[in-house]
Amino acid sequence: MRYFKIAYNLIVSRFVFTLIIIVEVAALLILSNVVIGTYNGKDMLYKPYRDIFENNAGVVMHFDTLVTNATQNDDVEKLRGENGYLDVSKVIGLIEKKLEGDVKVYSNAALSFLEPSLPKTEVGRNAGADIDFYLVDDEIFGKLRLSLAQGRWASSEKTSNGEIEIVVSGGTDVKPGDVYDTPAGKLKVVGILTDNTYIPPYQNCNLDEGKMLSDEKNIFEFYVPFDTQVSLESAFCIADKKLFENNPDKYNWLEGSYLFISYGSGLTDEQIKNNTEYLRTIGDVEEKWDFATLADESNKKLNDIYVHMLPIIITAAIVVLAGLIGSVAMSTIKQMKTFGIFFLCGCRWRDCVKIISANIIIVFGIAIVLAIAGGFAMSTMNLEYLIGLSLDWNNLIFSIGMLAVMYLLSVILPHNIIKSSSPVETIKEN
C-alpha cells in the first residue's frame, strides 16, 4: 500500500499531464471495445449459418406464403388448397424430395392464436396485442445466442414439466420464470433479450432508404433490427421450432418466406445448376443468393469492421502509449533524487520500479472507471442500437491484454533509467 501512496503523490505533482493520459487511455478502451462489440454483434448473427454456408452448396429462395399467383411448377400447384393458398410445409417436403443431393431446408415460422394467450406488447404499431411468436429452425436455434438482459437462452428440449422454454424481447412486462398457458402448450420464459436486438429471418426485408434485400448478399440483411425505443415492430418471443406441431385446429402456423435450402456437399456444377433452376419454377432465387456468395460476403462484412477501424485503433494506441511512456519516464527522471534517497534509506531499485508500477496501475484504474462510465453513457443514448454492439468475453480479454502490453512497455524505459543510475551520483546531480 505504501507504494500506492508514494505513486499518488507523484501523480498529484503532475496532475494535469497525468489526467490527459488517463482520458486518452479511457478513450482507447472505449474505441477498441466498440470495434470488438460491433464485430461480435455481427458475428453472433452469422454464427448459426456459418457451417451451413461454408460446407454446403445451396441457395436462398423467397416464397411468399400469402401469394396466390400460380407458380411454374405443376407439382407445387397440386398442393394448392381450395382457398388458393399453398401449404409451405408441403412445398418444403416436395423440395427435399425432388432436388439432388443431401437436401435440407432451413426455415423459420410464426404462430398466432385466435384467443389472447401471450403477454402483450407495449411497443410497436400493435401495442396492446399479443406479442409476435417466432419459431426458429432447430439447428439454427441451437447455435443462435442473441444478447440477454436477464436469464438464459432457451433450451431445445421441454422441461421435466413439459413446458417449452422461450426468450422474450424487451417491450413487455414479463420476467424470467413466468409461464403462459397457450393452445401450443405451456410456455416458460427463461430469458429476456436486450432492448436492442434482432428479429430472426422470417418474412421481413431489411430496407434502407429504398434498398431492397436483394441488393445485399450477406446474412445480416435477413435479420430485422429491433429496439424498444424506436422500432415499429411488436415485441416478440422466440423458441425452437422442433418443439411445436403444425396444428391448424389450435393455432395459425405461418412458414417464413425465406427458405435456406442446402444441397449438401459433393455435387457437380451441373447438379447444382439443375437444383437451382428447379427452385426458380417455385419461387424467387436471386442470382447471388447462393451459399458461397453469402459466406464470402458475410465474412467480408465482418472483416471490414477491423479493416476500417484497425488503422484508427493502432494510431490511437501509438499516441496513447507514447504519452504514457513519456509521462512515466519524465516523472521518473524528475524524481531520481527522491529515488536515490529512497535507495540510501534501504529501498532497492526494484522497490522504485514497484512505485512506478503503482503509478501506472492508478492511471489504468481511473481510466477503466471512466471507460465504464462512457459505456453506460453510450447505452443511455441508445448508441448500442445505432452501432450494433454486443459485448462478450473477448472484450474483457482484449482489454486486459492491451493494458498488460501497455504496462510492460511503460515500465521498461523507467526501469532502465533507474537501473543504470548511481544513487550517490543521482543525489549530487540533483
Side-chain angles (χ1 to χ4, degrees):
M1 184 59 66
R2 64 179 184 275
Y3 299 122
F4 286 97
K5 290 182 179 179
I6 298 171
Y8 172 77
N9 292 328
L10 296 178
I11 290 174
V12 170
S13 66
R14 306 184 71 253
F15 177 74
V16 175
F17 189 75
T18 304
L19 179 61
I20 294 173
I21 298 300
I22 289 173
V23 173
E24 288 179 347
V25 173
L28 180 61
L29 284 172
I30 292 174
L31 176 62
S32 59
N33 277 284
V34 164
V35 174
I36 295 172
T38 303
Y39 179 92
N40 291 341
K42 294 294 186 182
D43 187 62
M44 74 177 181
L45 304 181
Y46 180 42
K47 185 177 180 180
Y49 293 91
R50 179 176 278 112
D51 289 340
I52 298 171
F53 289 171
E54 296 181 3
N55 296 321
N56 300 282
V59 296
V60 178
M61 185 180 76
H62 178 257
F63 186 90
D64 192 340
T65 59
L66 301 179
V67 172
T68 57
N69 294 335
T71 68
Q72 303 173 36
N73 191 297
D74 292 337
D75 293 327
V76 170
E77 289 307 307
K78 294 177 182 177
L79 301 176
R80 194 176 295 278
E82 295 181 358
N83 58 4
Y85 292 99
L86 281 169
D87 185 336
V88 182
S89 300
K90 294 180 179 179
V91 176
I92 291 174
L94 176 67
I95 289 172
E96 291 178 331
K97 178 181 178 181
K98 290 289 186 178
L99 298 185
E100 299 181 72
D102 186 14
V103 180
K104 163 72 175 175
V105 178
Y106 301 90
S107 67
N108 299 333
L111 291 186
S112 62
F113 304 113
L114 300 179
E115 298 294 333
S117 302
L118 296 172
K120 307 305 177 186
T121 176
E122 299 174 351
V123 297
R125 289 167 290 199
N126 298 319
D130 279 3
I131 62 175
D132 293 332
F133 194 176
Y134 297 106
L135 308 181
V136 179
D137 184 276
D138 175 56
E139 188 171 332
I140 304 300
F141 186 85
K143 297 177 181 178
L144 184 64
R145 290 294 183 274
L146 298 178
S147 299
L148 295 167
Q150 299 179 55
R152 59 174 175 82
W153 192 251
S155 171
S156 293
E157 303 296 334
K158 292 184 179 181
T159 68
S160 57
N161 295 327
E163 299 163 335
I164 298 173
E165 295 184 348
I166 62 174
V167 291
V168 182
S169 72
T172 73
D173 61 356
V174 305
K175 305 178 297 297
D178 289 350
V179 177
Y180 293 87
D181 195 358
T182 74
K186 290 188 176 181
L187 308 178
K188 182 177 182 179
V189 179
V190 296
I192 307 297
L193 299 172
T194 54
D195 282 344
N196 41 82
T197 185
Y198 296 88
I199 299 174
Y202 176 60
Q203 287 186 341
N204 300 303
C205 289
N206 184 9
L207 303 181
D208 181 16
E209 297 180 354
K211 179 183 68 177
M212 297 301 293
L213 175 62
S214 57
D215 295 332
E216 294 289 339
K217 313 301 178 186
N218 58 64
I219 185 60
F220 312 116
E221 296 303 314
F222 290 89
Y223 288 88
V224 175
F226 173 85
D227 187 86
T228 58
Q229 303 299 318
V230 297
S231 293
L232 296 178
E233 302 288 342
S234 300
F236 64 94
C237 64
I238 57 178
D240 194 315
K241 183 179 178 181
K242 78 170 187 180
L243 300 178
F244 298 82
E245 294 181 0
N246 189 346
N247 191 334
D249 294 331
K250 294 184 176 181
Y251 42 78
N252 295 321
W253 176 294
L254 298 174
E255 286 286 346
S257 59
Y258 292 107
L259 307 181
F260 294 80
I261 304 172
S262 169
Y263 305 153
S265 58
L267 272 68
T268 65
D269 291 342
E270 186 67 22
Q271 289 174 311
I272 293 174
K273 180 180 178 182
N274 291 339
N275 282 349
T276 303
E277 290 302 320
Y278 182 84
L279 291 175
R280 286 199 172 106
T281 67
I282 302 174
D284 183 16
V285 180
E286 291 287 336
E287 183 178 353
K288 291 188 177 180
W289 275 5
D290 62 280
F291 284 3
T293 300
L294 287 170
D296 289 343
E297 293 298 317
S298 298
N299 283 316
K300 182 177 181 296
K301 194 82 171 179
L302 286 170
N303 294 333
D304 281 349
I305 296 172
Y306 285 133
V307 170
H308 293 153
M309 295 300 297
L310 204 55
I312 299 176
I313 293 179
I314 292 175
T315 302
I318 292 174
V319 171
V320 173
L321 188 58
L324 182 61
I325 293 174
S327 173
V328 177
M330 289 173 62
S331 178
T332 301
I333 293 172
K334 286 181 175 294
Q335 301 296 330
M336 284 303 295
K337 182 177 181 179
T338 303
F339 288 138
I341 295 173
F342 287 164
F343 188 88
L344 294 179
C345 292
C347 184
R348 293 293 178 261
W349 287 144
R350 64 175 176 270
D351 295 310
C352 296
V353 173
K354 290 179 181 178
I355 295 172
I356 296 170
S357 297
N359 187 336
I360 299 172
I361 291 172
I362 292 173
V363 169
F364 284 175
I366 299 174
I368 290 172
V369 172
L370 289 179
I372 293 174
F376 277 115
M378 290 175 60
S379 178
T380 302
M381 292 184 292
N382 212 32
L383 290 181
E384 288 181 79
Y385 168 73
L386 297 176
I387 301 174
L389 296 181
S390 177
L391 301 182
D392 207 338
W393 284 106
N394 58 349
N395 289 88
L396 179 62
I397 293 171
F398 182 87
S399 297
I400 292 174
M402 182 174 64
L403 292 175
V405 171
M406 293 176 65
Y407 165 80
L408 291 174
L409 294 176
S410 300
V411 167
I412 290 174
L413 181 58
H415 174 268
N416 290 338
I417 293 173
I418 294 175
K419 193 85 173 190
S420 61
S421 302
S422 167
V424 176
E425 294 298 324
T426 297
I427 295 174
K428 288 181 179 179
E429 291 173 2
N430 290 273

